[in-house]
């Protein structure tokens, strides 16, 4: 496992939209030649991330809404970074996340709210989908963490880090399958929007076969690894899986990583299991073969790739396909 240097940044994105940030310059103090913990990590609830993080009367972070608008009005460098990060994390070229002009959303809220120019119009961030909110929150936190890290490094006369660690829980959460296929490669690219020579380690937890399929062109066995978490006798066991490209999401679903027998419905899996057994039993009663045949017609499409294997068995039993 990669261990970040003494002045590194670690960002943990939780599935509920909360975040934690550890900056070894801001959260640590120097003890001789080493940095040791001094302040606790920055822990953001979703509300604190968007509105403000305070502690003991001190403002630790202005929050996404205020910072975004302030950066945009000044057209400051953080806003340029934010735009690059948003573009890198977008769900595709046809749906690039592009900031629009801030707007008011009600008479009861005097704040200017950041917006995104979506294909269907201008959308205030507070009205965006859960998927967009999660990605926008991650983009903002990365830019904010980087900006504050650079300022802290200048203040303490420390070198700016060239390593960032991203821990992301349920990477695919809320994302459309098209976005799931892009998000992991995008995360690896997005740090370059902060600084071109920054090295990044991504530790991502996922239940999505599309995320794993998307990693195939990028996976380097010399430095990357895939781990599985299994519940065995009420204990979680962690094992390192042997990496092997599967080619598509269905192949990942039926691998030992997800351990499904079929990438279909439960009913289809059950009848295909019975049909496979029937293929090996030439003495199976015709009534049972007909029952399996009828069930296959009920749960499978005419173009299902299992049909060529089954139809020869049905014809041998005298069943008209």
């Amino acid at each position: 496992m990669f261990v970040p240097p003494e002045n590194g940044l670690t960002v943990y994105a939780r599935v509920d939209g909360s975040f934690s940030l550890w900056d070894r310059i801001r959260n640590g103090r120097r003890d001789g030649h080493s940095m040791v913990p001094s302040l606790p990590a920055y822990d953001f609830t979703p509300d604190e991330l968007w509105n403000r993080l305070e502690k003991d009367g001190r403002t630790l972070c202005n929050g996404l809404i205020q910072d975004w608008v302030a950066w945009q009005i000044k057209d400051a460098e953080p806003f340029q970074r934010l735009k690059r990060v948003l573009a890198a994390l977008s769900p595709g070229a046809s749906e690039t996340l592009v900031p629009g002009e801030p707007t008011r959303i009600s008479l009861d809220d005097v704040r200017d709210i950041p917006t995104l120019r979506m294909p269907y119009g201008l959308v205030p961030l507070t009205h965006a989908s859960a998927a967009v909110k999660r990605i926008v929150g991650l983009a903002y936190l990365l830019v904010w963490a980087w900006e504050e890290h650079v300022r802290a490094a200048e203040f303490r006369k420390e070198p700016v880090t060239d390593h960032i660690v991203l821990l992301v829980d349920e990477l695919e959460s809320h994302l459309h399958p098209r976005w799931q296929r892009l998000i992991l490669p995008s995360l690896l690219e997005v740090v370059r929007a902060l600084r071109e020579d920054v090295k990044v380690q991504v530790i991502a937890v996922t239940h999505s076969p599309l995320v794993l399929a998307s990693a195939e062109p990028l996976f380097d066995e010399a430095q990357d690894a895939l781990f599985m978490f299994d519940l065995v006798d009420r204990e979680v066991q962690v094992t390192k899986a042997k990496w092997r490209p599967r080619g598509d999401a269905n192949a990942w679903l039926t691998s030992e990583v997800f351990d499904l027998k079929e990438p279909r419905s439960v009913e289809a899996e059950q009848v295909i299991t019975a049909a496979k057994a029937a293929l090996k039993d030439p003495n199976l009663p015709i009534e049972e073969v007909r029952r399996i045949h009828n069930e296959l017609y009920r749960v499978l499409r005419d173009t299902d790739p299992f049909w060529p294997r089954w139809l020869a068995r049905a014809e041998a039993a005298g069943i008209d396909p």
Side-chain angles (χ1 to χ4, degrees):
M1 295 290 289
F2 165 74
V3 177
E6 289 186 350
N7 67 336
L9 278 173
T10 301
V11 176
Y12 175 28
R14 296 182 179 85
V15 69
D16 64 353
S18 61
F19 289 86
S20 289
L21 168 69
W22 174 256
D23 182 336
R24 296 206 176 195
I25 293 181
R26 286 188 286 162
N27 299 110
R29 61 177 176 81
R30 185 162 293 283
D31 184 7
H33 297 290
S34 301
M35 295 291 288
V36 297
S38 175
L39 298 173
Y42 295 93
D43 293 319
F44 294 82
T45 66
D47 180 71
E48 290 168 336
L49 178 74
W50 284 68
N51 296 302
R52 188 178 295 265
L53 177 64
E54 296 179 332
K55 185 175 182 180
D56 300 329
R58 294 174 293 124
T59 299
L60 302 181
C61 175
N62 291 322
L64 183 154
I65 292 176
Q66 181 175 330
D67 273 341
W68 181 311
V69 173
W71 295 344
Q72 186 170 1
I73 290 173
K74 297 176 182 178
D75 196 24
E77 180 58 29
F79 187 62
Q80 302 306 317
R81 285 199 177 95
L82 179 64
K83 290 196 292 186
R84 292 195 294 270
V85 171
L86 287 171
L89 292 177
S90 295
S94 62
E95 294 185 64
T96 305
L97 300 176
V98 178
E101 291 300 316
T103 187
R104 297 283 179 94
I105 60 172
S106 76
L107 296 176
D108 300 324
D109 190 342
V110 299
R111 298 176 300 170
D112 289 325
I113 303 299
T115 64
L116 289 174
R117 296 187 183 279
M118 306 301 285
Y120 39 83
L122 205 64
V123 179
L125 289 185
T126 51
H127 294 169
S129 67
V132 170
K133 284 182 177 178
R134 191 183 192 209
I135 297 303
V136 164
L138 176 58
Y140 163 73
L141 187 67
L142 286 171
V143 173
W144 176 81
W146 181 257
E147 294 297 323
E148 294 301 323
H149 171 80
V150 170
R151 291 187 181 188
E154 292 174 352
F155 183 80
R156 287 195 169 183
K157 296 180 172 53
E158 299 279 352
V160 174
T161 187
D162 62 352
H163 288 77
I164 294 179
V165 178
L166 299 178
L167 298 94
V168 187
D169 193 17
E170 300 289 352
L171 182 60
E172 73 282 3
S173 179
H174 303 303
L175 302 186
H176 186 281
R178 182 173 60 251
W179 210 344
Q180 292 181 28
R181 199 172 59 169
L182 296 172
I183 188 62
L184 183 56
S186 297
L187 277 178
L188 296 173
E189 177 187 347
V190 76
V191 180
R192 300 191 191 101
L194 302 175
R195 174 176 162 178
E196 289 186 359
D197 61 344
V198 167
K199 302 177 182 66
V200 60
Q201 180 185 21
V202 176
I203 302 173
V205 178
T206 184
H207 289 97
S208 170
L210 286 168
V211 170
L212 288 175
S214 74
E216 290 189 5
L218 307 171
F219 198 91
D220 180 356
E221 293 189 66
Q223 60 181 1
D224 299 324
L226 173 63
F227 294 92
M228 298 187 299
F229 293 78
D230 295 299
L231 185 63
V232 179
D233 296 330
R234 298 186 179 182
E235 292 185 356
V236 176
Q237 292 187 0
V238 182
T239 56
K240 183 178 179 180
K242 182 175 176 57
W243 176 261
R244 180 167 65 85
R246 309 286 176 171
D248 62 27
N250 280 348
W252 277 104
L253 279 174
T254 55
S255 71
E256 71 278 4
V257 177
F258 293 97
D259 207 25
L260 292 183
K261 293 181 179 179
E262 295 288 337
R264 299 175 172 88
S265 67
V266 173
E267 292 83 358
E269 178 180 310
Q270 292 171 345
V271 69
I272 286 177
T273 299
K276 288 179 177 179
L279 292 173
K280 300 176 182 179
D281 186 358
N283 300 317
L284 194 69
I286 182 66
E287 294 80 7
E288 180 62 12
V289 177
R290 189 179 301 279
R291 184 193 69 79
I292 293 172
H293 185 75
N294 291 337
E295 280 295 295
L296 287 170
Y297 260 116
R298 186 178 70 85
V299 299
L300 299 185
R301 293 176 58 87
D302 294 343
T303 56
D304 193 284
F306 184 74
W307 278 118
R309 296 181 59 188
W310 173 255
L311 289 179
R313 178 69 175 86
E315 291 175 359
I319 297 173
D320 186 0

